[in-house]
């Protein structure tokens, strides 16, 4: 606890329940390159924790979420959760993800905030943005 009694968050984990666990694990670990930190089993179940670099929690109101969708896709496309991964090369990452079974919703576009963003539908129904900072 901090001195003012607010909890200190040490880590953000986005927990995704995937019907096709193996396909989702292979996509996020092997295709997007998220390193495996740990894996655990339970009676009849499995979980793998993947590292995703630095995590942030982005809170957007509906008009701003609609704006981002319009820039990246041309229309409102995401639900209330979208996962964004910064990658060194958005075009190459998009093609690699597509070959691995992700659905490309929109190919990479240059955004008003100077990044190259692609929108995909990934395993487990996650709406994904792959973005490359252009500097």
């Amino acid at each position: 606890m901090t001195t003012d009694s607010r909890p200190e968050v040490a880590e953000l984990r986005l927990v995704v329940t995937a019907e096709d666990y193996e396909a989702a694990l292979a996509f996020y670990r092997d295709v997007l390159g998220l390193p495996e930190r740990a894996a655990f089993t339970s009676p009849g179940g499995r979980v793998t924790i993947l590292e995703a670099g630095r995590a942030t929690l982005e809170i957007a109101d509906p008009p701003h979420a609609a704006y981002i969708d319009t820039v990246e896709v041309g229309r409102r496309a995401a639900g209330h959760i979208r996962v964004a991964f910064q990658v060194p090369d958005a075009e190459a990452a998009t093609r690699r993800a597509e070959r691995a079974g992700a659905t490309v919703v929109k190919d990479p576009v240059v955004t008003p905030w100077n990044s190259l963003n692609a929108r995909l539908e990934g395993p487990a129904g996650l709406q994904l943005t792959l973005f490359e900072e252009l500097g």
Side-chain angles (χ1 to χ4, degrees):
M1 295 286 234
T2 63
T3 57
D4 63 1
S5 297
R6 288 183 301 160
E8 292 182 12
V9 175
E11 179 179 344
L12 169 68
R13 283 197 187 172
L14 175 65
V15 180
V16 176
T17 301
E19 290 297 322
D20 190 341
Y21 172 85
E22 292 296 338
L25 179 60
F27 181 83
Y28 293 104
R29 182 190 60 206
D30 304 334
V31 176
L32 290 185
L34 279 64
E36 188 173 314
R37 179 197 296 178
F40 304 97
T41 60
S42 60
R46 298 171 289 170
V47 64
T48 300
I49 300 169
L50 303 173
E51 294 285 341
R54 180 178 57 97
T56 61
L57 178 61
E58 185 174 318
I59 307 293
D61 64 13
H64 189 78
Y67 172 72
I68 292 170
D69 277 0
T70 300
V71 167
E72 292 183 2
V73 180
R75 62 180 168 73
R76 186 72 173 120
H80 75 285
I81 294 177
R82 175 178 51 86
V83 180
F85 293 105
Q86 183 177 0
V87 295
D89 182 335
E91 181 65 41
T94 299
R95 300 288 73 90
R96 194 169 50 252
E98 182 178 35
R99 286 191 302 273
T103 301
V104 176
V105 177
K106 183 76 166 131
D107 282 317
V109 297
V110 176
T111 68
W113 47 93
N114 203 29
S115 63
L116 187 62
N117 293 25
R119 187 67 70 88
L120 300 99
E121 184 77 26
L126 284 180
Q127 183 97 174
L128 307 174
T129 294
L130 300 180
F131 71 97
E132 172 186 347
E133 293 294 355
L134 298 176

